[in-house]
Amino acid sequence: MVPPEYRSIKNTEIKEILFDRGYIRLLAGSYKEHTGFKSKYLPLNYYDITLNVGAEITIETEHDDSVILFTLLPDAVISGQTVKEKTAVKLTEGNSVTIKTGTDTAKVLFIGSKTLNESIAWGCPIVMNTKEELQKAFSDLHNGTFIDK
């Protein structure tokens, strides 16, 4: 158990990386030779991608990374499949993902990090690694000691 870490990032601190017919706002992590905010505990790449009409970008990933894309507006083509707007997509293992747009400008969020391969014990609204940790969390919640100031 480690204390959480939070950091506010101002708009002026976010790097914008131009590519042919679009740009990436580097919210966290790294993209090619560019570096943004780095997490204290786990590496995280978090991009806000804008693709202008007819644009395409291929983003290299580590084979064992866990990657999620979220289409904001409008639909986008992700690795050859059309994904409706406002849809999250969990990618399978691979070394890259290609994102394309059609007749409208598209916005897509990219979130990637190392796969943790840890057990999960879920009890809405709490998620822990073991049933024992989950039971302790609910006990702490019941006793008013779940959040330690």
Side-chain angles (χ1 to χ4, degrees):
M1 301 288 286
V2 295
E5 179 187 37
Y6 302 98
R7 178 159 189 278
S8 174
I9 301 172
K10 297 182 179 173
N11 202 33
T12 57
E13 298 175 297
I14 299 172
K15 292 182 182 178
E16 286 192 2
I17 304 158
L18 301 176
F19 62 90
D20 186 34
R21 295 192 305 216
Y23 61 93
I24 292 175
R25 296 179 70 233
L26 180 56
L27 304 175
S30 58
Y31 176 76
K32 295 187 177 180
E33 71 275 7
H34 305 279
T35 304
F37 169 74
K38 293 259 183 182
S39 171
K40 182 176 179 179
Y41 300 112
L42 185 67
L44 171 74
N45 292 321
Y46 189 6
Y47 315 144
D48 176 0
I49 305 168
T50 299
L51 297 106
N52 294 323
V53 175
E56 174 179 323
I57 186 171
T58 298
I59 298 174
E60 303 298 321
T61 61
E62 294 295 323
H63 181 74
D64 60 346
D65 277 359
S66 179
V67 177
I68 294 174
L69 298 175
F70 186 78
T71 56
L72 296 171
L73 294 170
D75 301 353
V77 177
I78 298 174
S79 294
Q81 295 202 344
T82 300
V83 177
K84 297 287 185 191
E85 70 180 28
K86 298 179 182 67
T87 301
V89 177
K90 170 79 170 81
L91 302 183
T92 57
E93 288 184 354
N95 295 318
S96 66
V97 60
T98 300
I99 307 167
K100 297 179 185 180
T101 187
T103 58
D104 293 309
T105 296
K107 293 197 62 72
V108 178
L109 296 178
F110 173 103
I111 304 166
S113 189
K114 297 292 171 210
T115 302
L116 292 179
N117 291 322
E118 292 184 0
S119 60
I120 298 173
W122 180 74
C124 189
I126 300 171
V127 179
M128 303 299 278
N129 292 109
T130 66
K131 287 184 180 179
E132 293 78 20
E133 288 175 344
L134 192 59
Q135 289 170 347
K136 169 126 177 46
F138 277 113
S139 175
D140 290 347
L141 186 64
H142 179 73
N143 295 328
T145 58
F146 182 69
I147 299 177
D148 187 16
K149 296 178 186 176

